[in-house]
Amino acid sequence: METLSTNRSHGGTQGVYRHQSSATRTAMTFSVFVPDHAPGARLPVVWYLSGLTCTHANVTEKGEFRAACVEHGVIFVAPDTSPRGAGVPDDAAYDFGQGAGFYVDATQEPWAAQFRMRTYVEEELPALLAARFPVDMDRQGITGHSMGGHGALTVALRQPGRFRSVSAFAPIVSPLACPWGEKALGGYLGADREAWRAYDACALIADGARLPDLLVDQGTADGFLEEQLRTQLLAAACEAAGQPATIRMQEGYDHSYYFISTFMPEHVAWHAARLRA
């Protein structure tokens, strides 16, 4: 693992790191913020999965999470959204290919060899984090934005008991029922829509998967709300299944980091309350 940068901030250390991934067969970059802590202490961790076109840098530079993480003693980890670089397949559109991994393990060519973001975020990066940073892997939370909100919900729903807390900012709640999802899952996984259900939060809930609790914030002025995000489908799925969920429609907020950074401290505090030993 290579350290690309470290910076002091708010009483902690913000680092950016790179390593050679066995899952994606490329170099992968991620960021980790570690609050100052007593020697030998191990801290709870919140994972943040980013949205379409983003890298680790978007939330690292604009997410405004560090003060809250120091206040509550929480490590914050932000991976990239896809493999990148020369020789990695790509697409001319912003919503497919590099920057748009959708947190799936692709089965279709030419994506299958390297677009394995499910394995990367569920297995490889957690193992690296546990080996190199002072994390308590028994106290994990996960959140994300847009495509990353989809990732956070589905990663947690597929692994009951792994995450004590799950939240999302403007998530894609049902890739089976929106253009972004149909394009991505069709391209990466093929035409069998039954294979897509493992990557659809509403379908997973309908099929019996559950979370300990859920917090979702969605802006009412988000231009993607009606066609792509479709928050009402998640609300309906949770109600039908008896899944505890707090889904807040935030008046006048859009899809940007102005929105995310406004509510990020509340999300960090919400996770921290559920991650206490």
Side-chain angles (χ1 to χ4, degrees), residues 44-49 77 118 120-123 125-126 129 136-144 150-167 210-214 243 270-271 274-275:
V45 59
V46 171
W47 297 85
Y48 179 93
L49 303 184
V77 181
R118 174 178 177 174
Y120 182 71
V121 300
E122 289 185 359
E123 300 176 17
L125 189 55
L129 193 78
D136 181 349
M137 297 301 281
D138 291 328
R139 294 188 289 160
Q140 296 186 71
I142 191 167
T143 187
H150 139 78
L153 295 175
T154 56
V155 166
L157 284 162
R158 288 193 303 262
Q159 300 180 89
R162 179 168 180 173
F163 298 96
R164 294 193 191 181
S165 56
V166 183
S167 76
R210 295 293 181 268
L211 302 171
D213 201 356
L214 175 62
Q243 166 65 55
W270 186 88
H271 283 277
R274 289 154 179 78
L275 296 175

Side-chain angles (χ1 to χ4, degrees), residues 1-8 13-18 29-33 56-57 60-61 66 133:
M1 188 179 72
E2 178 186 2
T3 300
L4 300 182
S5 65
T6 57
N7 297 91
R8 291 288 295 163
T13 301
Q14 178 65 66
V16 178
Y17 308 93
R18 181 167 57 206
T29 302
F30 63 99
S31 74
V32 183
F33 179 72
H56 71 283
T60 304
E61 296 170 2
R66 279 174 283 269
F133 296 92

Side-chain angles (χ1 to χ4, degrees), residues 46-254:
V46 171
W47 297 85
Y48 179 93
L49 303 184
S50 295
L52 287 168
T53 75
C54 292
T55 71
H56 71 283
N58 299 75
V59 70
T60 304
E61 296 170 2
K62 298 186 287 189
E64 301 185 23
F65 54 85
R66 279 174 283 269
C69 286
V70 169
E71 178 182 355
H72 298 287
V74 173
I75 290 173
F76 193 95
V77 181
D80 202 348
T81 54
S82 79
R84 299 177 190 270
V88 177
D90 201 7
D91 188 89
Y94 76 95
D95 56 357
F96 196 68
Q98 293 188 37
F102 250 80
Y103 304 101
V104 307
D105 277 359
T107 59
Q108 303 300 299
E109 298 301 332
W111 316 100
Q114 293 174 300
F115 276 68
R116 301 181 65 241
M117 290 302 296
R118 174 178 177 174
T119 294
Y120 182 71
V121 300
E122 289 185 359
E123 300 176 17
E124 184 177 7
L125 189 55
L128 177 62
L129 193 78
R132 299 294 187 96
F133 296 92
V135 294
D136 181 349
M137 297 301 281
D138 291 328
R139 294 188 289 160
Q140 296 186 71
I142 191 167
T143 187
H145 171 233
S146 194
M147 179 186 73
H150 139 78
L153 295 175
T154 56
V155 166
L157 284 162
R158 288 193 303 262
Q159 300 180 89
R162 179 168 180 173
F163 298 96
R164 294 193 191 181
S165 56
V166 183
S167 76
F169 301 89
I172 301 169
V173 305
S174 183
L176 279 157
C178 75
W180 277 342
E182 291 185 347
K183 179 177 181 177
L185 298 187
Y188 293 135
L189 303 178
D192 181 6
R193 293 175 69 90
E194 282 299 306
W196 301 7
R197 294 184 71 85
Y199 298 104
D200 185 295
C202 291
L204 287 165
I205 291 169
D207 291 345
R210 295 293 181 268
L211 302 171
D213 201 356
L214 175 62
L215 172 64
V216 172
D217 276 312
Q218 171 64 59
T220 62
D222 189 325
F224 300 114
L225 175 57
E226 295 304 319
E227 182 179 28
Q228 303 285 12
L229 307 177
R230 308 195 68 187
T231 309
Q232 76 278 6
L233 297 181
L234 179 63
C238 289
E239 182 177 5
Q243 166 65 55
T246 300
I247 300 176
R248 309 188 300 190
M249 301 303 294
Q250 302 292 358
E251 188 66 30
Y253 284 90
D254 61 16

